[in-house]
PDB file of all heavy atoms in Angstrom:
ATOM      1  N   ILE A 284      56.005   9.533  24.904  1.00  0.00           N
ATOM      2  CA  ILE A 284      55.978   8.151  25.408  1.00  0.00           C
ATOM      3  C   ILE A 284      56.721   7.200  24.494  1.00  0.00           C
ATOM      4  O   ILE A 284      56.536   7.224  23.277  1.00  0.00           O
ATOM      5  CB  ILE A 284      54.510   7.684  25.573  1.00  0.00           C
ATOM      6  CG1 ILE A 284      53.817   8.534  26.647  1.00  0.00           C
ATOM      7  CG2 ILE A 284      54.452   6.199  25.928  1.00  0.00           C
ATOM      8  CD1 ILE A 284      52.329   8.319  26.731  1.00  0.00           C
ATOM      9  N   GLY A 285      57.536   6.341  25.101  1.00  0.00           N
ATOM     10  CA  GLY A 285      58.145   5.243  24.365  1.00  0.00           C
ATOM     11  C   GLY A 285      59.632   5.404  24.146  1.00  0.00           C
ATOM     12  O   GLY A 285      60.115   6.457  23.738  1.00  0.00           O
ATOM     13  N   SER A 286      60.362   4.337  24.424  1.00  0.00           N
ATOM     14  CA  SER A 286      61.806   4.288  24.199  1.00  0.00           C
ATOM     15  C   SER A 286      62.178   2.820  24.043  1.00  0.00           C
ATOM     16  O   SER A 286      61.299   1.947  24.004  1.00  0.00           O
ATOM     17  CB  SER A 286      62.545   4.897  25.396  1.00  0.00           C
ATOM     18  OG  SER A 286      62.521   3.995  26.496  1.00  0.00           O
ATOM     19  N   ASP A 287      63.488   2.557  23.976  1.00  0.00           N
ATOM     20  CA  ASP A 287      63.931   1.161  23.921  1.00  0.00           C
ATOM     21  C   ASP A 287      63.397   0.378  25.113  1.00  0.00           C
ATOM     22  O   ASP A 287      63.296  -0.852  25.070  1.00  0.00           O
ATOM     23  CB  ASP A 287      65.465   1.101  23.952  1.00  0.00           C
ATOM     24  CG  ASP A 287      66.052   1.635  22.660  1.00  0.00           C
ATOM     25  OD1 ASP A 287      65.279   1.755  21.678  1.00  0.00           O
ATOM     26  OD2 ASP A 287      67.258   1.942  22.639  1.00  0.00           O
ATOM     27  N   GLU A 288      63.074   1.090  26.191  1.00  0.00           N
ATOM     28  CA  GLU A 288      62.628   0.399  27.409  1.00  0.00           C
ATOM     29  C   GLU A 288      61.140   0.049  27.372  1.00  0.00           C
ATOM     30  O   GLU A 288      60.620  -0.537  28.324  1.00  0.00           O
ATOM     31  CB  GLU A 288      62.941   1.276  28.620  1.00  0.00           C
ATOM     32  CG  GLU A 288      64.450   1.434  28.786  1.00  0.00           C
ATOM     33  CD  GLU A 288      64.852   2.611  29.673  1.00  0.00           C
ATOM     34  OE1 GLU A 288      64.214   3.677  29.578  1.00  0.00           O
ATOM     35  OE2 GLU A 288      65.797   2.451  30.439  1.00  0.00           O
ATOM     36  N   GLY A 289      60.483   0.417  26.287  1.00  0.00           N
ATOM     37  CA  GLY A 289      59.082   0.025  26.151  1.00  0.00           C
ATOM     38  C   GLY A 289      58.168   1.186  25.828  1.00  0.00           C
ATOM     39  O   GLY A 289      58.623   2.332  25.685  1.00  0.00           O
ATOM     40  N   GLY A 290      56.878   0.866  25.720  1.00  0.00           N
ATOM     41  CA  GLY A 290      55.903   1.865  25.315  1.00  0.00           C
ATOM     42  C   GLY A 290      54.750   1.996  26.295  1.00  0.00           C
ATOM     43  O   GLY A 290      54.959   2.106  27.506  1.00  0.00           O
ATOM     44  N   HIS A 291      53.516   1.959  25.753  1.00  0.00           N
ATOM     45  CA  HIS A 291      52.336   2.299  26.559  1.00  0.00           C
ATOM     46  C   HIS A 291      51.964   1.267  27.622  1.00  0.00           C
ATOM     47  O   HIS A 291      51.143   1.555  28.481  1.00  0.00           O
ATOM     48  CB  HIS A 291      51.139   2.552  25.641  1.00  0.00           C
ATOM     49  CG  HIS A 291      51.179   3.886  24.967  1.00  0.00           C
ATOM     50  ND1 HIS A 291      51.994   4.162  23.895  1.00  0.00           N
ATOM     51  CD2 HIS A 291      50.512   5.056  25.226  1.00  0.00           C
ATOM     52  CE1 HIS A 291      51.815   5.421  23.497  1.00  0.00           C
ATOM     53  NE2 HIS A 291      50.918   5.979  24.284  1.00  0.00           N
ATOM     54  N   THR A 292      52.541   0.071  27.534  1.00  0.00           N
ATOM     55  CA  THR A 292      52.243  -0.907  28.603  1.00  0.00           C
ATOM     56  C   THR A 292      53.476  -1.161  29.470  1.00  0.00           C
ATOM     57  O   THR A 292      53.510  -2.126  30.234  1.00  0.00           O
ATOM     58  CB  THR A 292      51.717  -2.237  28.021  1.00  0.00           C
ATOM     59  OG1 THR A 292      52.644  -2.698  27.025  1.00  0.00           O
ATOM     60  CG2 THR A 292      50.353  -2.057  27.381  1.00  0.00           C
ATOM     61  N   SER A 293      54.459  -0.271  29.341  1.00  0.00           N
ATOM     62  CA  SER A 293      55.656  -0.398  30.177  1.00  0.00           C
ATOM     63  C   SER A 293      55.699   0.733  31.198  1.00  0.00           C
ATOM     64  O   SER A 293      55.054   1.764  31.019  1.00  0.00           O
ATOM     65  CB  SER A 293      56.921  -0.332  29.309  1.00  0.00           C
ATOM     66  OG  SER A 293      56.911  -1.363  28.357  1.00  0.00           O
ATOM     67  N   ILE A 294      56.497   0.501  32.245  1.00  0.00           N
ATOM     68  CA  ILE A 294      56.712   1.540  33.250  1.00  0.00           C
ATOM     69  C   ILE A 294      58.149   2.022  33.144  1.00  0.00           C
ATOM     70  O   ILE A 294      59.082   1.218  32.973  1.00  0.00           O
ATOM     71  CB  ILE A 294      56.406   0.992  34.657  1.00  0.00           C
ATOM     72  CG1 ILE A 294      54.889   0.777  34.790  1.00  0.00           C
ATOM     73  CG2 ILE A 294      56.925   1.919  35.742  1.00  0.00           C
ATOM     74  CD1 ILE A 294      54.453   0.197  36.095  1.00  0.00           C
ATOM     75  N   ASP A 295      58.303   3.343  33.207  1.00  0.00           N
ATOM     76  CA  ASP A 295      59.644   3.930  33.180  1.00  0.00           C
ATOM     77  C   ASP A 295      60.467   3.303  34.309  1.00  0.00           C
ATOM     78  O   ASP A 295      60.086   3.416  35.490  1.00  0.00           O
ATOM     79  CB  ASP A 295      59.505   5.445  33.385  1.00  0.00           C
ATOM     80  CG  ASP A 295      60.837   6.178  33.254  1.00  0.00           C
ATOM     81  OD1 ASP A 295      61.891   5.509  33.207  1.00  0.00           O
ATOM     82  OD2 ASP A 295      60.804   7.422  33.209  1.00  0.00           O
ATOM     83  N   PRO A 296      61.561   2.639  33.974  1.00  0.00           N
ATOM     84  CA  PRO A 296      62.351   1.974  35.029  1.00  0.00           C
ATOM     85  C   PRO A 296      62.782   2.932  36.133  1.00  0.00           C
ATOM     86  O   PRO A 296      62.945   2.494  37.285  1.00  0.00           O
ATOM     87  CB  PRO A 296      63.567   1.440  34.270  1.00  0.00           C
ATOM     88  CG  PRO A 296      63.147   1.344  32.850  1.00  0.00           C
ATOM     89  CD  PRO A 296      62.139   2.424  32.640  1.00  0.00           C
ATOM     90  N   LYS A 297      62.898   4.210  35.821  1.00  0.00           N
ATOM     91  CA  LYS A 297      63.284   5.153  36.877  1.00  0.00           C
ATOM     92  C   LYS A 297      62.191   5.292  37.938  1.00  0.00           C
ATOM     93  O   LYS A 297      62.454   5.671  39.071  1.00  0.00           O
ATOM     94  CB  LYS A 297      63.559   6.535  36.269  1.00  0.00           C
ATOM     95  CG  LYS A 297      64.833   6.597  35.458  1.00  0.00           C
ATOM     96  CD  LYS A 297      65.053   8.016  34.985  1.00  0.00           C
ATOM     97  CE  LYS A 297      66.300   8.111  34.120  1.00  0.00           C
ATOM     98  NZ  LYS A 297      66.295   9.357  33.335  1.00  0.00           N
ATOM     99  N   LEU A 298      60.939   5.006  37.522  1.00  0.00           N
ATOM    100  CA  LEU A 298      59.823   5.095  38.479  1.00  0.00           C
ATOM    101  C   LEU A 298      59.633   3.801  39.243  1.00  0.00           C
ATOM    102  O   LEU A 298      59.081   3.810  40.353  1.00  0.00           O
ATOM    103  CB  LEU A 298      58.522   5.432  37.746  1.00  0.00           C
ATOM    104  CG  LEU A 298      58.413   6.818  37.121  1.00  0.00           C
ATOM    105  CD1 LEU A 298      57.110   6.947  36.357  1.00  0.00           C
ATOM    106  CD2 LEU A 298      58.516   7.897  38.198  1.00  0.00           C
TER     107      LEU A 298
END
Side-chain angles (χ1 to χ4, degrees):
Chain A
I284 296 171
S286 75
D287 290 345
E288 295 162 320
H291 283 77
T292 53
S293 301
I294 290 178
D295 185 349
K297 289 184 182 163
L298 292 176

